[in-house]
């Protein structure tokens, strides 16, 4: 047998014929690769933010995006809270990242252990859901390999998923998992989808539109079975759990814009006449806003209401400016290829060089946009009948919507880019189309 024939046989090998032993062997190779990449990334991260001490123990306080303070308080005080402007916050951040790192650190505070375990958990989830989904659709080994490569082939996107200081590192792989499962014929997919929707809400509250709209689409497009109500049930349960936690801790049921009590403060950077002077190339943290708060503001909700009122006043008086800023955000989402959200170096210069990863990402997202437009024009009825298209469009639209309202950065777009790559693969894989 020639080499070409051997390769052809190897890659066209049906996933249904792969034994448990072979699958574990492939996972071990995959896990080793992810572990080595995690170590290398962790070393580079420490150079940037000094994330571990001389004994390689993680320094919780140096973890950014307020997650460090949450993990520190969980680990040393057994409480879930942060302090901001001398106010105690219980709802500043969703708990997925803090609790994940906290529970791993209970085993060992070694930084490299923590980052390896975190990435093995997330990438193993992606590995087995990819295998299970494609196997249920009678796909071959080549498509499985291509699917595994999607989160790692674009360097910047891979770095985001290896991280752990922001929520997008989890969303980058969980959202593609949800899409793959929804298209699969896996018998227990509704249960797993429900669990993923439940988990996703606690990763980032801006995901609320996806975890509500997507389960509703499942009710429309899946076959008649009571089981298809499970994802919607889990989504509603997640909303109730987080809302009741807010009610117990702060006397207010947290939902939608109030899912995080810091949301109005964060939005005040976008609802600002100087926003367009900074975004997208300079960090929005540099935008000057009114940091002074009245004396009567003593709780997280009083601070929320204070900035909410300021934001509404700005919008009423500057809606044209806000609309122009919205087009700037859309321009960045589809065409931005330079490094964004930069902070000045010691000389006051900003690094806004062109990123090769961003060029690739924007080509991918625009290819999907062109494909959807083509399908819409050529046969709109087929477009909306095929759940592969409808699920994809829904996740993209409702995944981007919160970032259009506030702002989008490159890391926010990684889950969408990974999803776009999967969508392109499902439409144009090397062998045949996936079964609908």
């Amino acid at each position: 047998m020639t080499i070409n024939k051997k390769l052809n046989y190897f890659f066209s090998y049906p996933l249904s014929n792969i034994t448990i032993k072979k699958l574990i062997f492939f996972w071990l190779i995959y896990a080793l690769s992810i572990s080595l990449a995690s170590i290398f990334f962790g070393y580079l991260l420490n150079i940037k933010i000094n994330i571990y001490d001389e004994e390689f123990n993680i320094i919780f306080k140096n973890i950014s995006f307020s997650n460090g303070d949450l993990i520190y308080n969980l680990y040393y005080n057994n409480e879930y809270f942060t302090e901001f402007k001398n106010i105690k916050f219980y709802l500043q951040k969703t708990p997925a990242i803090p609790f994940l790192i906290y529970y791993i650190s209970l085993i060992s505070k070694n930084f490299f252990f923590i980052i390896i375990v975190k990435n093995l958990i997330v990438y193993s989830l992606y590995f087995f859901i990819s295998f299970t989904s494609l196997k249920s659709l009678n796909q071959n080994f080549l498509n499985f390999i291509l699917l595994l490569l999607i989160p790692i082939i674009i360097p910047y996107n891979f770095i985001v998923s290896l991280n752990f200081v922001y929520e997008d590192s989890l969303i980058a792989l969980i959202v593609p998992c949800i899409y793959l499962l929804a298209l699969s014929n896996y018998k227990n997919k509704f249960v797993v989808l429900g669990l993923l929707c439940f988990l996703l809400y606690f990763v980032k509250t801006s995901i609320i539109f996806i975890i509500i709209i997507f389960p509703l689409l499942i009710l429309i497009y899946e076959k008649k079975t009571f089981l298809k109500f499970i994802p919607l049930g889990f989504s509603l349960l997640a909303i109730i759990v987080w809302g009741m936690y807010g009610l117990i801790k702060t006397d207010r049921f947290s939902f939608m814009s109030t899912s995080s009590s810091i949301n109005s403060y964060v939005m005040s950077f976008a609802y600002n006449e100087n926003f367009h002077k900074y975004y997208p190339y300079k960090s929005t943290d540099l935008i000057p806003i009114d940091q002074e708060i009245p004396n009567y503001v003593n709780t997280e909700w009083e601070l929320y209401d204070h900035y909410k009122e300021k934001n509404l006043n700005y919008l009423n008086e500057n809606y044209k400016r806000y609309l122009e800023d919205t087009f700037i955000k859309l321009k960045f989402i589809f065409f931005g290829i330079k490094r964004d959200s930069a902070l000045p170096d010691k000389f006051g210069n900003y690094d806004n060089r062109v990123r090769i990863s961003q060029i690739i990402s924007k080509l991918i997202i625009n290819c999907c946009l062109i494909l959807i437009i083509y399908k819409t024009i050529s046969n709109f009825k087929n477009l909306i009948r095929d759940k592969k298209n409808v699920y994809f469009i829904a996740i993209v639209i409702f995944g981007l919507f919160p970032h259009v309202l506030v702002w989008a950065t490159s890391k926010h777009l990684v889950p969408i880019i990974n999803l776009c790559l999967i969508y392109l693969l499902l439409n144009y894989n090397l062998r045949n189309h996936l079964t609908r």
Side-chain angles (χ1 to χ4, degrees), residues 34 37-38 40-42 44-45 48 115 118-119 123 149-170 172-173 339 355 357-358 361 410-411 414 418:
I34 296 301
S38 298
F40 181 67
F41 168 75
L44 295 179
L45 183 64
K48 185 176 181 180
I115 195 170
K118 174 264 170 183
N119 286 327
Y123 270 92
L149 290 175
I150 281 174
I152 67 178
I153 56 174
I154 301 177
Y156 176 82
N157 295 6
F158 188 33
I159 289 171
V160 169
S161 67
L162 291 176
N163 217 313
F164 68 94
V165 300
Y166 41 70
E167 295 82 359
D168 307 278
S169 63
L170 299 183
L173 293 173
R339 186 176 182 272
R355 272 187 177 143
S357 291
Q358 297 309 314
S361 293
S410 294
K411 69 177 183 294
V414 172
N418 287 342

Side-chain angles (χ1 to χ4, degrees), residues 6 19 41 49 80 96 111 141 150 292 310 334 344 364 431:
K6 288 181 178 179
T19 63
F41 168 75
I49 62 174
Y80 187 80
F111 168 76
F141 189 69
I150 281 174
E292 293 186 11
K310 291 178 72 68
F334 290 100
I364 291 167
R431 290 296 174 186

Side-chain angles (χ1 to χ4, degrees), residues 14 38 56 65-66 113 129 136 142 160 174 184 192 196 210 214 220 225 230 244 260 313 373 389 395 413 418 427:
S38 298
F56 303 107
F65 298 97
S66 301
F113 173 81
I129 285 182
S136 73
L142 175 60
V160 169
I174 295 178
S184 75
V192 183
L196 288 179
I210 291 179
F214 195 76
I220 298 172
T225 170
I230 292 177
M244 289 303 298
S260 170
N313 289 338
I373 292 173
N389 300 320
I395 294 177
L413 301 180
N418 287 342
N427 278 278

Side-chain angles (χ1 to χ4, degrees), residues 61 83 95 111 118 130 133 206 276 290 296 304 330 398:
K61 286 286 188 176
E83 289 190 4
F111 168 76
K118 174 264 170 183
S130 296
S133 299
S206 63
H276 65 285
D290 182 9
Y296 65 80
Y304 175 90
L330 291 171
F398 293 105

Side-chain angles (χ1 to χ4, degrees), residues 255-318:
F255 179 60
M256 294 294 284
S257 62
T258 62
S259 295
S260 170
S261 53
I262 204 73
N263 272 346
S264 63
Y265 172 78
V266 173
M267 291 180 71
S268 67
F269 289 89
Y271 288 65
N272 188 290
E273 60 184 6
N274 294 305
F275 179 79
H276 65 285
K277 299 177 182 178
Y278 290 80
Y279 181 84
Y281 300 119
K282 298 179 182 179
S283 172
T284 51
D285 292 337
L286 302 174
I287 298 174
I289 68 168
D290 182 9
Q291 297 282 356
E292 293 186 11
I293 57 176
N295 293 330
Y296 65 80
V297 174
N298 297 305
T299 69
E300 57 189 300
W301 289 123
E302 288 173 348
L303 184 135
Y304 175 90
D305 293 336
H306 169 71
Y307 279 103
K308 178 183 178 181
E309 183 179 356
K310 291 178 72 68
N311 294 340
L312 290 175
N313 289 338
Y314 171 83
L315 191 59
N316 289 332
E317 298 171 3
N318 302 275

Side-chain angles (χ1 to χ4, degrees), residues 2 14 22 81 110 135 141 147-148 152 236 261 267 272 291 335 362 365 372 387 410 422:
T2 64
K22 287 182 179 179
F81 73 91
N110 181 279
K135 180 182 177 181
F141 189 69
L147 209 56
L148 294 182
I152 67 178
L236 295 176
S261 53
M267 291 180 71
N272 188 290
Q291 297 282 356
F335 304 107
K362 298 311 160 72
I365 196 171
I372 291 298
K387 64 183 181 182
S410 294
I422 292 173

Side-chain angles (χ1 to χ4, degrees), residues 158-202:
F158 188 33
I159 289 171
V160 169
S161 67
L162 291 176
N163 217 313
F164 68 94
V165 300
Y166 41 70
E167 295 82 359
D168 307 278
S169 63
L170 299 183
I171 301 174
L173 293 173
I174 295 178
V175 165
C177 285
I178 288 176
Y179 182 66
L180 287 168
L181 269 174
L183 296 182
S184 75
N185 295 321
Y186 176 52
K187 62 179 181 179
N188 296 318
K189 75 174 186 178
F190 296 116
V191 175
V192 183
L193 275 171
L195 292 172
L196 288 179
C197 286
F198 183 85
L199 171 63
L200 194 58
Y201 186 68
F202 293 99

